[in-house]
Amino acid sequence: MKILLLDKNHPLITEQLLAKNFVLEEDFMSSYDEVCRKIEHYDGIIIRSRIPLDKNFLEKGKNLKFIARVGAGMENIDIPVAEKLGIELINSPEGNRDSVAEHVVGMLLILMNRLFIASQEVKNGIWKREENRGDELLGKTVGLIGYGNMGKATAKRFSGFGCKVIFHDILPGLSDEYASQVSVEELKQSADILSLHIPLTSETHYIIDEKFISEMKKDFYFVNTARGKNVETKYLVEALKSGKVKGACLDVLEYEKASFENLEHENEDLQYLLESEKTIVTPHIAGWTHQSKEKLAQVIVDKIIERFAG
């Protein structure tokens, strides 16, 4: 099988697939149109996020057997078209679930205990104690939206901090030793902390909007390591200003490019998020550790070899 690698990834992908007699070609620079012109010559593609695999692209890939995404989200792929064409879709959320879970807890600890603010103050000769009194995770109810790989790994961490963890998911029967499945209504009634662990689909686009925020019974902390467009930012900013959202930890932003490589545009809402003491903002790196880079690649390789090695 001939495979096209469109993004740089861990070298183990190349090493292990070559050892199984796959034919590999790397192309990290060609444009969408240039790749379209040659995609019919390949049986498989390994991607991250550089090029959108839309209907036009997929129909030109007449011999494609699979598309493997080194990561979790598949929104850059026209999934219905791929399925109609019989192209198998492979991703690797198992590879960075632990990285995401640690990032969620890390951001919250920094925000709730004012660690970054207090550290910067001391470094600038300011010694404030009462003003930097923290808020404990212990005893809080954490509400997760989505209970796949990321949600489960996150619940496991929070349970270790003495939190009650509840979650809502479209699939039934997912409760385990770390978290209990509830309705959206019950989650809105109980959660002190709300964390997103969902893909970006037509159903989850702007799932956190003015109505959702207003229906949360308690003032709450908000965490998003999923996708920026899961959240209608202007209403999050309004809630931060009013105090309904006590603080926000954002690894993803509505204003990111589709490739996640940078911000697409800026506005007053983004400026508020970047300047507020109530926010922690990171550049889409929750799943981006040294360990996850290797684990993501290994999961993809294992799945490709299992399905397609001769």
Side-chain angles (χ1 to χ4, degrees), residues 2-13:
K2 191 174 182 182
I3 301 174
L4 179 62
L5 287 76
L6 287 175
D7 299 88
K8 291 182 180 178
N9 283 294
H10 196 284
L12 74 80
I13 291 179

Side-chain angles (χ1 to χ4, degrees), residues 142-148 151 165-175 179-188 191 194-199 204 207 212:
V142 178
L144 309 177
I145 304 289
Y147 206 62
V165 187
I166 58 177
F167 69 89
H168 177 72
D169 195 283
I170 58 174
L171 299 176
L174 298 180
S175 295
S180 301
Q181 191 160 5
V182 298
S183 65
V184 176
E185 291 70 29
E186 187 175 340
L187 186 143
K188 289 175 181 175
L194 177 65
S195 185
L196 301 188
H197 301 277
I198 48 179
T204 65
I207 189 173
F212 194 108

Side-chain angles (χ1 to χ4, degrees), residues 72 135 152 223 228 254 262 269:
D135 191 9
K152 290 175 183 176
V223 188
E254 182 183 348
N262 215 319
D269 291 330

Side-chain angles (χ1 to χ4, degrees), residues 18 24 46 53 103 108-109 123 142 159 224 229 243 288:
L18 285 174
L24 307 182
I46 299 177
L53 307 191
H103 198 89
L108 269 174
L109 289 173
K123 289 179 178 181
V142 178
S159 67
N224 190 11
K229 289 181 172 60
W288 208 256

Side-chain angles (χ1 to χ4, degrees), residues 31 95 102 119 265:
S31 68
E102 290 187 14
S119 176
H265 62 273

Side-chain angles (χ1 to χ4, degrees), residues 67-308:
I67 297 165
R69 166 130 208 279
V70 185
M74 305 288 269
E75 68 270 18
N76 268 13
I77 303 168
D78 191 326
I79 294 173
V81 171
E83 291 175 343
K84 183 180 177 183
L85 294 171
I87 302 169
E88 185 165 352
L89 300 178
I90 302 168
N91 65 344
S92 54
E94 304 92 336
N96 61 353
R97 59 190 174 194
D98 297 310
S99 170
V100 169
E102 290 187 14
H103 198 89
V104 169
V105 175
M107 285 197 296
L108 269 174
L109 289 173
I110 289 168
L111 182 76
M112 294 170 66
N113 292 285
R114 298 176 60 85
L115 298 181
F116 182 75
I117 295 166
S119 176
Q120 289 300 110
E121 287 177 350
V122 173
K123 289 179 178 181
N124 288 310
I126 301 166
W127 190 272
K128 293 181 178 178
R129 297 184 68 221
E130 185 57 38
E131 295 87 343
N132 286 312
R133 194 180 286 274
D135 191 9
E136 295 179 9
L137 279 173
L138 179 67
K140 288 191 170 48
T141 297
V142 178
L144 309 177
I145 304 289
Y147 206 62
N149 281 280
M150 312 303 175
K152 290 175 183 176
T154 302
K156 184 176 181 179
R157 269 68 177 182
F158 276 122
S159 67
F161 278 88
C163 297
K164 177 183 179 182
V165 187
I166 58 177
F167 69 89
H168 177 72
D169 195 283
I170 58 174
L171 299 176
L174 298 180
S175 295
D176 59 23
E177 61 188 301
Y178 302 115
S180 301
Q181 191 160 5
V182 298
S183 65
V184 176
E185 291 70 29
E186 187 175 340
L187 186 143
K188 289 175 181 175
Q189 283 291 309
S190 303
D192 301 294
I193 296 165
L194 177 65
S195 185
L196 301 188
H197 301 277
I198 48 179
L200 180 62
T201 66
S202 56
E203 288 77 24
T204 65
H205 185 265
Y206 286 166
I207 189 173
I208 305 302
D209 57 9
E210 184 178 28
K211 182 174 184 288
F212 194 108
I213 292 170
S214 69
E215 290 173 350
M216 292 288 287
K217 182 179 180 181
K218 302 177 183 178
D219 296 344
F220 65 100
Y221 294 99
F222 178 68
V223 188
N224 190 11
T225 54
R227 289 291 184 261
K229 289 181 172 60
N230 292 140
V231 180
E232 200 162 2
T233 307
K234 62 181 178 180
Y235 297 118
L236 174 63
V237 168
E238 285 179 9
L240 283 162
K241 289 177 178 177
S242 72
K244 179 66 179 179
V245 174
K246 298 162 78 170
C249 301
L250 306 172
D251 182 55
V252 291
L253 294 164
E254 182 183 348
Y255 315 114
E256 286 178 75
K257 291 182 178 179
S259 65
F260 313 134
E261 291 303 312
N262 215 319
L263 293 173
E264 200 160 38
H265 62 273
E266 298 183 17
N267 57 29
E268 288 182 9
D269 291 330
L270 175 62
Q271 206 56 41
Y272 175 85
L273 294 176
L274 298 180
E275 294 174 359
S276 175
E277 285 194 351
K278 291 184 172 184
T279 59
I280 298 287
V281 185
T282 53
H284 204 132
I285 56 169
W288 208 256
T289 60
H290 296 292
Q291 292 81 6
S292 72
K293 183 176 182 180
E294 181 172 347
K295 286 190 282 188
L296 284 166
Q298 191 62 63
V299 169
I300 282 294
V301 166
D302 291 346
K303 289 182 178 181
I304 292 172
I305 290 173
E306 180 186 351
R307 290 164 171 77
F308 298 103

